[in-house]
Amino acid sequence: MRKILILLTLMICNQINAQTGMHISALFEGKIVPKRQMVETRISGKAVSKYKLTFFHSVRFQADEALVSRIEQLAAADFAANSEKVRQRKLENSVMRRNEQGRKTFTQMYELAPRGTTHRFLCFKVVNDTMTVIYLEGWVASLDELKKIFND
């Protein structure tokens, strides 16, 4: 029983520290978009391990162009701050397109500097006026590998 409590405590502490020190943290904490206006998902453990992840945290909300721009700036600032630590990482090309129904979509993916042996990623997608921001941690080694996992 004691081991289980210690393990649960460690898991909770890791989740709390996941986005600590990042510019985008304010969004996940409800300081940019009120929590009552967001749909939040947190998954850890066995549920995401088949995707080579240890932690998945997403928020979805309605966003106008000004809010999308603000969040883009926060995400880019996190990437830039982390780029000083790991220079060989590259910015994933953003993709903007219209789908068959004429809906405008925009996707951006960033690979952040690893924390120890844990690889970290920050992604967001905008479909019309709905924005989803996702923070991922795990042992996925690159954005290309992450894309393959989610496309399979």
Side-chain angles (χ1 to χ4, degrees):
M1 184 64 162
R2 184 175 175 202
K3 289 180 183 179
I4 292 173
L5 288 174
I6 291 171
L7 182 62
L8 286 173
T9 302
L10 287 173
M11 287 174 62
I12 290 170
C13 290
N14 280 341
Q15 289 179 13
I16 290 171
N17 288 327
Q19 294 108 339
T20 300
M22 295 176 62
H23 295 92
I24 203 74
S25 295
L27 174 66
F28 286 97
E29 294 167 0
K31 294 178 180 173
I32 296 173
V33 176
K35 282 203 176 256
R36 69 183 184 288
Q37 294 177 8
M38 295 190 295
V39 175
E40 182 176 21
T41 304
R42 290 177 188 234
I43 308 171
S44 62
K46 197 172 190 174
V48 291
S49 65
K50 67 181 178 181
Y51 302 108
K52 297 184 178 181
L53 297 172
T54 55
F55 184 61
F56 172 98
H57 189 185
S58 74
V59 289
R60 188 179 72 232
F61 49 89
Q62 299 297 303
D64 59 14
E65 291 201 22
L67 182 56
V68 169
S69 178
R70 182 174 178 198
I71 292 168
E72 276 183 284
Q73 291 172 355
L74 293 172
D78 283 327
F79 177 77
N82 279 278
S83 291
E84 294 302 316
K85 298 173 190 169
V86 182
R87 294 209 180 265
Q88 67 268 22
R89 285 188 344 267
K90 64 179 177 14
L91 171 65
E92 176 63 24
N93 292 332
S94 56
V95 179
M96 183 179 292
R97 63 176 77 110
R98 291 198 182 272
N99 64 13
E100 298 81 38
Q101 293 81 27
R103 298 176 77 180
K104 184 174 74 171
T105 66
F106 176 76
T107 303
Q108 182 69 58
M109 300 174 79
Y110 296 98
E111 180 178 356
L112 304 173
R115 184 179 291 147
T117 59
T118 303
H119 296 272
R120 304 178 312 141
F121 303 91
L122 182 60
C123 313
F124 64 85
K125 183 170 190 153
V126 180
V127 178
N128 287 339
D129 63 346
T130 301
M131 183 171 205
T132 304
V133 180
I134 304 170
Y135 174 82
L136 304 158
E137 287 185 351
W139 62 92
V140 176
S142 68
L143 284 171
D144 291 332
E145 185 179 352
L146 186 67
K147 286 179 189 176
K148 285 180 187 175
I149 289 169
F150 286 114
N151 283 334
D152 285 348

